Amino acid sequence: MAKSIGIAVIGAGMAGLSHIAGYRTAPTLYEPTLPPLRYVAVADVNTELAAKVAKRYGYEKALGSWQEVAADPDIDVVSVVIANRFHREAVEGLMAAGKHVLCEKPLADTLEEAEAMAAAARNAQSTARVGFTFRRTPGIAAIRDLINDGTLGKVLHFSGRYWTDYGHSPQAPMSWRFKGEPGSGALADVGSHLAYVAEFLAGEITSVSGGQLRTSITERYLPAGAVTGHNLAELSEQSEPVENDDYAAFSVQFADAAGSLEVSRVAAGHPNTLAFEVFCERGAARFSQLRPAEIEIMLSEGPEATNGYRTVNLGPEHAYIGGGLPMDAPGVGFGQNDAFSYQARAFLDEVSGVDTALPANATFDEGLHNMKILQAVVQSSNNDGKMVSL
């Protein structure tokens, strides 16, 4: 076991804050088996923001680039939470410097870059993982347990959506999220999450069909100044075309089931709605990120007149909660920020070589597989919805 672990996060925006705070909470989860943690640096091209965030969360210093992080001998573990098109350069540079890297999803901006990153990770001396955060959401894991233990039985049909509204207003400023190839918009941003959640429950996706991509707002104004996350800002008079998708939908085939998936960043009134329903041989279950501390299950038993969905409050009998939260009792609640803490703890456990109560983060090969699904959606869309096998 390492004597101590020095931590840095590259990217001080919205998702970066989740990593930064997650590492702070990680040692408080479960048993105190981690070595001492040193919170070394927050890095961002906006060094003023990096300094402010570092102070807020108790990190020692602010840096301005991934190169500075790579060169710092006090840093062992790095989260990369920057625009997708910069992932490859930063991640490969950090791995070459011997850093353990946790990269935000999707793995890269293009399939070719993801393939190169996965190859580099296989040859690296350090650990490289991609953050599939919802794998450690207790409600989703609880439904998977009910499938695997036979309570719900074999999956027949999965129906899921991930609706967000950060791009629904024409006044939302132009940013890197609206630039890139078709499929690098809503599909990559939230469709990547929905795709791995579908596979987490129903097994590997074997083919994609009916792909649709749509750009609803085709022009956006550049911000007059710096913008963090999805925030609105004062706009300049200069506009640029939106290059990627605001909306995507597609059907999938699993080995023994079928599914339909829909994602959007222009769904007004849905700031962060990941929701799905999974239909099985012995019943069904559903989950919504709007109410993440509960699931609904329906079991095909008893008289039809009184049968239907019932709500189950999550507690210590369900995945990851027991011993993993300060108040691990039913009805206390659980949110997406907690999932980032679990993600950080799983990564720190892995690089430290200690036993963990959590599943490991996804490998870069799994991240590459996720991107192949997204690319298949693009190919299907380009060919009038034609089926694309994986």
Side-chain angles (χ1 to χ4, degrees), residues 59-263:
Y59 284 66
E60 296 170 12
K61 57 190 173 185
L63 299 174
S65 69
W66 71 260
Q67 290 91 341
E68 292 178 78
V69 174
D72 193 324
D74 290 335
I75 295 171
D76 306 296
V77 163
V78 185
S79 275
V80 174
V81 198
I82 53 180
N84 303 336
R85 66 181 181 273
F86 299 131
H87 282 185
R88 180 184 177 185
E89 179 186 22
V91 167
E92 290 185 356
L94 291 162
M95 287 192 295
K99 311 300 185 187
H100 302 290
V101 180
L102 177 61
C103 183
E104 255 299 331
K105 60 79 219 163
L107 190 55
D109 208 28
T110 68
L111 188 59
E112 293 74 22
E113 291 200 337
E115 288 172 339
M117 291 170 67
R122 290 182 215 115
N123 296 318
Q125 298 300 309
S126 56
T127 301
R129 297 289 181 261
V130 59
F132 284 179
T133 313
F134 287 104
R135 282 186 175 182
R136 276 160 297 279
T137 296
I140 297 175
I143 291 172
R144 189 194 196 201
D145 288 345
L146 292 171
I147 293 168
N148 289 346
D149 70 13
T151 302
L152 289 171
K154 185 175 73 173
V155 175
L156 306 177
H157 170 207
F158 175 91
S159 176
R161 66 179 185 268
Y162 202 149
W163 290 348
T164 64
D165 65 1
Y166 66 84
H168 88 278
S169 171
Q171 300 305 306
M174 175 58 72
S175 75
W176 65 267
R177 293 185 183 276
F178 301 107
K179 293 291 186 179
E181 298 178 356
S184 66
L187 180 64
D189 189 16
V190 292
S192 54
H193 279 307
L194 188 58
Y196 73 72
V197 167
E199 291 196 311
F200 187 68
L201 297 171
E204 191 167 303
I205 292 171
T206 59
S207 67
V208 166
S209 62
Q212 300 179 55
L213 298 175
R214 177 176 172 80
T215 304
S216 304
I217 298 174
T218 58
E219 196 88 5
R220 292 187 184 274
Y221 286 95
L222 295 172
V227 181
T228 301
H230 300 320
N231 295 336
L232 295 178
E234 181 182 353
L235 302 177
S236 70
E237 295 182 357
Q238 181 182 354
S239 66
E240 291 182 352
V242 174
E243 297 175 352
N244 53 26
D245 45 291
D246 290 329
Y247 170 89
F250 55 103
S251 297
V252 298
Q253 290 288 330
F254 308 96
D256 297 308
S260 57
L261 289 75
E262 183 187 44
V263 298

Side-chain angles (χ1 to χ4, degrees), residues 23 44 59 281 319 336 350:
Y23 284 120
D44 199 283
Y59 284 66
E281 289 179 312
Q336 196 166 349
E350 183 175 14

Side-chain angles (χ1 to χ4, degrees), residues 358-373:
L358 297 162
N361 286 280
T363 65
F364 275 23
D365 284 321
E366 290 175 281
L368 174 60
H369 169 74
N370 181 260
M371 287 201 62
K372 287 180 178 178
I373 296 171

